[in-house]
């Protein structure tokens, strides 16, 4: 497992480089670093899958969700190379694989073990956050309000799904290793995607925070994907 953890650990520094290069407007370097980080979490997942005794549907679905993340990374990584008028379309095209990947994560994780109804309280958390930020004129969704709110609900549902697995610990049929891995990825994804929306739809008050938001998009995202990639070994 050492090689798997090394590959997973390299995802975050590569994501850090992508954020740093974005802030320095070194777009080719940013794209290269971003794709490297994405390839690393895919390689981590494949190596983790190779260490399983047998392949299962759950592991295959998890690999599929990670592949969708890779596709989304490629599409969103091309934004600065596209004409300005086509960037909103590219943002939507890049968001679709992530949306489908999140759905896969939820479908895969929610049935594991026993579900705690108390976790349903998490479902409105991200949509309420988006609504509060919009009401405070911190963020301007405009015509994207409905799809962004739906996406926020999916983020909350994924956070709910991962925490439900995490809370069960050693009681899980898959064992405590999977539970330990699931404490953070849903929260990290919610942080990353919320930061992405703040960066893309934020008002004037957020402009000075754009460089910091580059890091709060990239670092939690690649950490979450690396954790999901490690989970292929145990799910």
């Amino acid at each position: 497992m050492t090689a798997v953890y090394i590959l997973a650990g390299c995802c975050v520094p590569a994501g850090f480089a992508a954020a740093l290069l974005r802030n320095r407007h070194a777009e080719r370097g940013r794209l290269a670093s971003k794709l490297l980080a994405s390839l690393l979490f895919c390689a981590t997942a494949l190596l983790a899958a190779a260490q399983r005794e047998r392949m299962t549907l759950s592991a295959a679905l998890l690999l599929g969700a990670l592949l969708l993340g890779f596709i989304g990374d490629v599409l969103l990584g091309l934004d600065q190379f596209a004409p300005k008028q086509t960037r909103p379309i590219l943002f939507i095209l890049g968001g679709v694989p992530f949306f489908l990947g999140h759905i896969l994560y939820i479908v895969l994780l929610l049935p594991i073990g026993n579900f705690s109804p108390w976790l349903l309280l998490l479902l409105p958390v991200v949509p309420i956050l988006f609504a509060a930020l919009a009401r405070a004129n911190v963020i301007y969704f405009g015509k994207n309000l409905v799809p962004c709110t739906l996406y926020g609900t999916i983020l909350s549902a994924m956070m709910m799904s991962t925490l439900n697995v995490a809370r069960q610990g050693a009681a899980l049929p898959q064992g405590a290793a999977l539970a330990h891995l699931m404490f953070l990825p849903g929260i990290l994804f919610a942080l990353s995607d919320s930061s992405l929306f703040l960066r893309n739809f934020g008002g004037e008050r957020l402009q000075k925070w754009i460089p910091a938001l580059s890091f709060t998009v990239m670092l939690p995202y690649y950490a979450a994907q690396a954790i999901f990639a490690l989970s292929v070994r145990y799910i």
Side-chain angles (χ1 to χ4, degrees):
M1 285 292 291
T2 302
V4 179
Y5 282 103
I6 291 173
L7 281 175
C10 289
C11 292
V12 176
F16 180 89
L20 184 65
L21 290 167
R22 180 186 181 92
N23 289 340
R24 294 182 177 179
H25 305 291
E27 296 302 336
R28 291 184 179 179
R30 173 192 66 96
L31 180 59
S33 298
K34 187 177 174 69
L35 294 182
L36 173 60
S38 302
L39 287 170
L40 282 168
F41 71 66
C42 288
T44 300
L46 290 173
L47 188 55
Q51 295 182 1
R52 296 178 59 92
E53 291 184 3
R54 63 184 182 88
M55 194 58 156
T56 63
L57 178 60
S58 295
L61 287 174
L62 190 49
L63 286 171
L66 289 162
L67 178 60
L68 286 168
F70 175 79
I71 294 170
D73 283 340
V74 172
L75 292 172
L76 292 181
L78 295 173
D79 59 346
Q80 297 301 309
F81 299 95
K84 285 188 176 181
Q85 62 271 23
T86 65
R87 289 178 189 176
I89 298 173
L90 193 61
F91 181 76
I92 294 171
L93 290 176
V96 169
F98 283 115
F99 182 84
L100 296 175
H102 293 341
I103 295 292
L104 261 182
Y105 285 135
I106 295 166
V107 170
L108 176 60
L109 296 172
L110 201 57
I112 293 178
N114 299 312
F115 180 72
S116 172
W118 287 103
L119 288 171
L120 288 170
L121 294 173
L122 291 174
L123 205 53
V125 167
V126 178
I128 288 174
L129 172 64
F130 286 173
L133 291 171
R135 187 173 181 81
N137 295 322
V138 173
I139 193 167
Y140 301 91
F141 287 119
K143 62 182 179 180
N144 297 300
L145 176 61
V146 172
C148 287
T149 301
L150 175 60
Y151 196 95
T153 304
I154 295 299
L155 287 174
S156 285
M158 191 172 69
M159 185 165 55
M160 178 181 70
S161 303
T162 55
L163 290 176
N164 185 61
V165 174
R167 72 171 183 84
Q168 298 179 70
L172 285 178
Q174 294 86 347
L178 180 62
H180 293 157
L181 287 170
M182 287 297 108
F183 271 108
L184 286 177
I187 297 171
L188 291 172
F189 252 118
L191 173 59
S192 173
D193 285 352
S194 297
S195 296
L196 180 65
F197 287 151
L198 285 169
R199 191 179 71 188
N200 285 15
F201 300 111
E204 291 184 4
R205 286 185 288 175
L206 283 180
Q207 293 308 303
K208 64 180 180 180
W209 296 104
I210 294 297
L213 287 171
S214 294
F215 291 99
T216 57
V217 170
M218 289 296 177
L219 298 184
Y221 168 70
Y222 282 112
Q225 292 288 48
I227 293 170
F228 277 127
L230 289 171
S231 302
V232 173
R233 173 69 176 81
Y234 303 105
I235 199 163

